[in-house]
C-alpha cells in the first residue's frame, strides 16, 4: 500500500509539480495539497485520517510553517513532517527540528535525494543531511560561545596574541594560577586540548583576528 502524503505550500505551481514528482516515486501518493497551515489544521479538526507524511513549506500566509509545526507538536506529536523550503537560516532549521520535524530540505534538492529522504523517513523515522548537520554544529558552537564569561572571552582574546600565559596574567592583573584556571575551563567548555585549539575556535567565531 502506498504511503500517503499531504503537501502544504502556498505556491500552487510548485505544489502541483511536487505532487507529480512524489506520485512518480514507487510507494508514495499525495492525497491532498493545502495552501497554508490553517487548511491543514481544518483537515485534522474535521476528523480526517493522518497522512504518513506531511511536506511542509515555511513561508506561507495565514499560518506559516513554524506555527503549523507548533500546532502539530501540541495536537499530533507523532505526525511525521518533512520541511521543504527555501529558508536555510540556522535558527529556523533548529527550531523546526526541536518542534519535531523529521527532516529539513531546501527546494533546490535533486529529485534523487528527495526520494531518498522520503524513504529514509518511512524506514527510520528521520532524515539527516549536510544542511541539518551544519546547522546543528553551528548551533552547538553558538551555545558554547554563550557559556563563556566576560573574563574568559577576554582571556581568549589574549590567547590569540603572542603573549605568554604569564604575560597574559600581568595584562589582566590576575595571578598565573587564575589564568591557568581560565585556560582549563575553556579547554573543557570548548572541548579543545591546546592553545592552538583555542585560537582556531576564536578565529572561527570571529572573537579575534590573526
Amino acid at each position: 500500500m502506498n504511503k500517503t502524503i499531504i503537501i502544504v505550500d502556498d505556491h500552487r505551481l510548485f505544489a502541483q509539480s511536487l505532487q507529480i514528482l512524489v506520485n512518480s516515486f514507487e510507494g508514495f501518493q499525495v492525497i491532498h495539497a493545502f495552501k497554508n497551515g490553517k487548511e491543514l489544521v481544518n483537515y485534522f479538526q474535521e476528523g480526517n485520517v493522518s497522512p504518513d507524511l506531511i511536506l511542509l513549506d515555511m513561508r506561507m500566509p495565514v499560518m506559516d510553517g513554524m506555527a503549523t509545526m507548533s500546532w502539530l507538536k501540541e495536537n499530533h506529536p507523532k505526525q511525521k513532517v518533512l520541511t521543504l523550503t527555501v529558508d536555510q537560516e540556522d535558527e529556523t532549521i533548529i527550531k523546526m527540528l526541536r518542534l519535531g520535524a523529521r527532516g529539513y530540505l531546501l527546494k533546490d534538492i535533486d529529485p534523487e535525494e528527495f526520494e531518498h529522504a522520503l524513504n529514509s523517513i518511512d524506514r527510520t523515522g528521520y532524515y539527516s543531511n549536510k544542511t541539518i548537520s551544519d546547522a546543528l554544529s553551528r548551533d552547538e558552537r553558538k551555545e558554547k560561545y554563550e557559556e563563556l564569561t566576560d573574563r574568559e572571552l577576554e582571556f581568549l582574546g589574549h590567547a590569540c596574541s603572542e603573549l605568554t600565559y604569564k604575560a597574559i596574567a600581568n595584562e589582566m592583573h590576575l595571578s598565573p594560577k587564575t589564568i591557568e584556571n581560565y585556560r582549563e575551563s575553556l579547554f573543557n567548555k570548548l572541548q579543545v586540548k591546546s592553545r592552538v585549539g583555542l585560537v582556531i575556535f576564536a578565529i572561527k567565531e570571529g572573537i579575534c583576528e590573526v
Side-chain angles (χ1 to χ4, degrees), residues 7 32 123 145 185:
I7 297 171
H32 291 288
R123 291 193 309 268
Y145 175 79
S185 176

Side-chain angles (χ1 to χ4, degrees), residues 7-9 14 18 21-22 54-59 81-87 96 103-109 114:
I7 297 171
V8 185
D9 194 303
F14 176 81
L18 183 61
L21 178 62
V22 171
I54 293 174
L55 300 178
L56 181 64
D57 187 22
M58 287 301 301
R59 301 177 183 178
V81 177
L82 173 61
T83 306
L84 188 60
T85 181
V86 297
D87 193 335
M96 289 298 285
Y104 198 102
L105 287 176
L106 300 180
K107 286 185 174 180
D108 63 354
I109 194 72
F114 178 48

Side-chain angles (χ1 to χ4, degrees), residues 122-187:
D122 178 42
R123 291 193 309 268
T124 70
Y126 294 92
Y127 172 72
S128 183
N129 57 6
K130 191 173 186 300
T131 299
I132 293 175
S133 60
D134 286 351
L136 290 174
S137 178
R138 286 189 290 265
D139 185 64
E140 183 179 358
R141 290 200 301 270
K142 181 181 178 182
E143 288 182 354
K144 290 177 181 177
Y145 175 79
E146 291 174 346
E147 288 177 0
L148 306 186
T149 66
D150 290 341
R151 288 298 256 174
E152 285 174 340
L153 285 171
E154 183 181 354
F155 167 77
L156 188 55
H158 288 306
C160 294
S161 70
E162 297 180 355
L163 295 176
T164 64
Y165 285 129
K166 183 177 180 180
I168 292 174
N170 291 334
E171 186 73 21
M172 295 180 66
H173 306 291
L174 297 171
S175 69
K177 179 63 177 177
T178 301
I179 289 299
E180 182 179 332
N181 290 338
Y182 281 149
R183 182 191 65 195
E184 294 304 316
S185 176
L186 286 172
F187 281 176

Side-chain angles (χ1 to χ4, degrees), residues 44 50-54 69 72 76-81 100 102:
F44 278 107
S50 299
D52 292 302
L53 179 64
I54 293 174
M69 197 68 229
L72 287 171
H76 295 271
K78 294 183 179 180
Q79 175 64 59
K80 294 178 182 178
V81 177
R102 304 302 183 91

